[in-house]
Amino acid sequence: MTGLLVLAVLATLLAGTCFAVLLDRAQPALVAEFFRSRVETEAPDRLNRDLAPAWYLALAAIGLSVVPFAPGLALIDSPAGIVIWGSCEALIVVTVFLHGWAPNAPFPLIGAYRYAALALPVMLPSMFVLIAAALPAQSLSLIAIVDSQREIWNVIRQPLGLPLFLVVALALTLRGPMDYADGADIATGTSAEESGAARATWYLARAAMLVSVSALAATVFLGGPLGPLLPGPVWLWLKTAALMALTAWLGHHVARPPPGRMLTLLWIALLPLSFLHLAISGVLAL
Amino acid sequence: MTLTIVLLGAAALIGLGLYGALSQQSFVMLMMGLELMLNGALLATIGFWSRAIGGMPEGQLLAIIVMAVMAVEMAIGFALIVAVYRKRQADMTESLGTLKH
Amino acid sequence: MTDPVTDLVLLLLTGFAVWTGWRVFRVDSMVRASFSLMLSFIAVGAIGLLLSAPYIGIATVFMMAVEMMVMAIFMVMFMMNPAGLNPMMMVHQHGVSIAAGLAAFLGLGAAILLSAPPSDPVPPQAPVVAQLGHELLGPSMLIFETAGVTLLATMVGAVILSSRQGRHGAADEGSRPPGLTAGGAPAGRTPGEEGGPGHHHHHGGHG
């Protein structure tokens, strides 16, 4: 059963990455990118520069491993599944920062710094929203959260949760309005001094992370593998694909404000909104 | 045996942290020494809770309190570092000499 | 009674935690130092997972990743050499510190090896996360609430200590970047000079 689940996670990641690459407006020439030569900067941190895309991919895989593929079946079945996802989010921020710091160049470091300043406050609404979803389940385990959605999905009884989590999804996958790390206004930021296989792997890792975060949102808000006719995994894939398309659409159609304004929006609007959401969910769950 | 390994590791972390807190000139590195000491204390707490007191819930509570202390110490520590830098442009302990004899 | 495989993995993880802790004070770059500390904490979190404390182990990894990220931000802000181009060894009272660290380790080690702690392992199928939750909001509610108020006071204190409008005027009135050599002239432009080409600000988003 464990082998089957590992296969399911890897297959979902592979297929989902292809789907995510197709969702983008303009795909880079990925196969050609793998054969380009690599650009060197002065005195980079070689270990982190070469390994950051691999860690980003690994975090996407770990995030997908806590998602149950059928009611009661997940590769990592921990009583604190939500907290595992939370640590993946925190380590994503660290990975993107390392990706920008390692080349020892100004634009990547600016991208890394902006991203750290904005992704850390984005993690706060993420945790409040996930905790609010754990309240009706009375457990931090994702399997219990899926079980608690048998009568009604969390997106209906906690309506603010999914929009707030979509903001988090945009930040974790470096897309659209939250793309401060790889933004075009700083010459693609943390990827500015990158070329060749590393650049292609970073792009694929961002696509894989979109799969992972959409699968988690589908599990926590849309009931994951629950559904009438089709088997569990098929429902999970359908819901994940729908959320991936929604996130990509938001990424293409919402403008990116300057970092100062986004910071104000996060701390003054989104964080109190998530407090309110948690308070309402707590009262409803009592 | 398990408990001994974990506790010796915690003691080593505390010793390393004490070395760092006493020897480093930069404020941020000094705080890393303090964090290492609290790391050792957290490891010892988890070790004792898991092997010596049969999983009493108060043991986990103490671990949570140690983590809260870590958070408080880092927040106030960095705020003080920012404040002292703004006032005296001091980013090393050697630059603060007003309490010296 | 103790499982030798678990013991071996614990030995490796403990050794990794201590080694990365030692590397914190030996690496050249401050950013590397803070992420080496993060690796030490991740090893302690993994030990927590092995010792049947899943929530505490994962929460340690979570908290420490964020804390070390903040620390790395402060490194790049305050040190002239965050990337590691020059060797870095800024220590004082080195001999005293080594002696103190060794004394602490030997004293604690002696206490551990010479005393006999009771052996009462946690039952393997105990619902530890649920027990922690019931404990936090039941018998130890007062401690929990006090910790909450303490954290609130910390937040207020940190904001006040580092706010831009200080009590006696603007907080960064006297602040200048440190010199490129120890005690040298401040790097970057002085206030009042027109901004020239080739400087860039790292704004955290203030104003």
Side-chain angles (χ1 to χ4, degrees), chain A residues 1-269:
Chain A
M1 191 33 76
T2 313
L4 208 59
L5 281 169
V6 169
L7 217 58
V9 167
L10 289 175
T12 312
L13 264 183
L14 205 57
T17 307
C18 298
F19 182 52
V21 169
L22 286 173
L23 280 173
D24 256 349
R25 258 181 190 161
Q27 291 84 4
L30 275 175
V31 180
E33 190 72 52
F34 268 100
F35 293 106
R36 285 211 190 110
S37 62
R38 122 131 357 125
V39 169
E40 282 288 336
T41 50
E42 176 194 343
D45 185 316
R46 295 228 153 77
L47 183 74
N48 288 318
R49 184 195 62 181
D50 294 337
L51 286 183
W55 286 329
Y56 201 12
L57 259 177
L59 287 169
I62 294 176
L64 195 57
S65 309
V66 287
V67 166
F69 273 80
L73 266 186
L75 181 55
I76 299 181
D77 179 9
S78 160
I82 291 268
V83 194
I84 293 185
W85 174 258
S87 2
C88 284
E89 285 182 13
L91 288 171
I92 289 170
V93 182
V94 171
T95 307
V96 176
F97 178 83
L98 281 176
H99 189 240
W101 171 77
N104 196 17
F107 279 132
L109 188 61
I110 295 178
Y113 235 74
R114 293 195 324 186
Y115 184 73
L118 284 155
L120 288 177
V122 157
M123 281 178 45
L124 298 171
S126 147
M127 285 323 292
F128 286 127
V129 153
L130 289 176
I131 290 172
L135 285 175
Q138 300 183 7
S139 166
L140 292 172
S141 149
L142 278 168
I143 293 181
I145 291 180
V146 165
D147 266 338
S148 78
Q149 295 183 71
R150 283 189 189 273
E151 313 82 39
I152 181 172
W153 285 356
N154 273 338
V155 70
I156 302 176
R157 67 181 159 193
Q158 295 175 355
L160 281 175
L162 190 57
L164 285 171
F165 199 74
L166 283 178
V167 174
V168 177
L170 288 170
L172 291 177
T173 54
L174 312 179
R175 248 162 226 279
M178 305 295 296
D179 186 9
Y180 291 99
D182 275 6
D185 53 339
I186 46 172
T188 72
T190 64
S191 307
E193 302 286 346
E194 224 179 20
S195 152
R199 193 185 186 108
T201 316
W202 184 253
Y203 178 75
L204 289 174
R206 285 174 53 182
M209 183 55 72
L210 181 63
V211 180
S212 184
V213 78
S214 308
L216 188 93
T219 309
V220 171
F221 295 107
L222 296 181
L226 295 175
L229 293 167
L230 305 165
V234 177
W235 272 118
L236 183 66
W237 288 328
L238 287 175
K239 294 173 189 174
T240 305
L243 280 179
M244 280 169 66
L246 180 61
T247 312
W249 186 85
L250 280 174
H252 293 149
H253 289 271
V254 178
R256 182 171 65 233
R261 198 170 281 183
M262 177 55 95
L263 208 64
T264 310
L265 183 70
L266 283 173
W267 282 104
I268 295 186

Side-chain angles (χ1 to χ4, degrees), chain C:
Chain C
M1 184 169 85
T2 56
D3 177 17
V5 175
T6 314
D7 271 356
L8 183 64
V9 178
L10 274 174
L11 191 63
L12 288 173
L13 280 173
T14 315
F16 184 68
V18 173
W19 179 72
T20 43
W22 175 73
R23 289 295 294 166
V24 168
F25 302 111
R26 301 303 299 182
V27 290
D28 274 341
S29 161
M30 305 274 273
V31 175
R32 284 189 192 127
S34 65
F35 289 124
S36 176
L37 186 60
M38 186 186 80
L39 283 176
S40 178
F41 273 107
I42 290 180
V44 168
I47 294 177
L49 278 174
L50 272 180
L51 291 179
S52 342
Y55 178 75
I56 297 194
I58 303 170
T60 303
V61 174
F62 188 4
M63 255 185 69
M64 287 311 140
V66 178
E67 278 193 22
M68 294 310 132
M69 186 65 251
V70 171
M71 223 184 230
I73 290 179
F74 273 87
M75 298 294 190
V76 180
M77 228 201 288
F78 280 118
M79 293 293 295
M80 275 314 290
N81 179 24
L85 284 173
N86 306 325
M88 184 186 79
M89 185 68 168
M90 299 179 356
V91 294
H92 56 181
Q93 55 188 24
H94 203 200
V96 170
S97 325
I98 295 182
L102 266 177
F105 174 57
L106 291 173
L108 286 170
I112 293 164
L113 291 172
L114 294 175
S115 71
S119 173
D120 186 8
V122 59
Q125 295 305 319
V128 290
V129 181
Q131 277 175 354
L132 174 64
H134 285 300
E135 175 69 28
L136 274 177
L137 292 173
S140 302
M141 167 83 94
L142 183 61
I143 300 175
F144 189 47
E145 295 296 326
T146 312
V149 174
T150 308
L151 286 167
L152 177 66
T154 305
M155 282 192 268
V156 173
V159 170
I160 289 179
L161 279 173
S162 54
S163 78
R164 221 177 216 178
Q165 297 98 322
R167 288 167 71 199
H168 308 292
D172 51 359
E173 216 172 58
S175 95
R176 294 166 299 155
L180 286 169
T181 56
R189 62 191 183 100
T190 55
E193 179 187 301
E194 287 305 298
H199 81 264
H200 62 266
H201 289 296
H202 288 152
H203 268 300
H206 290 296

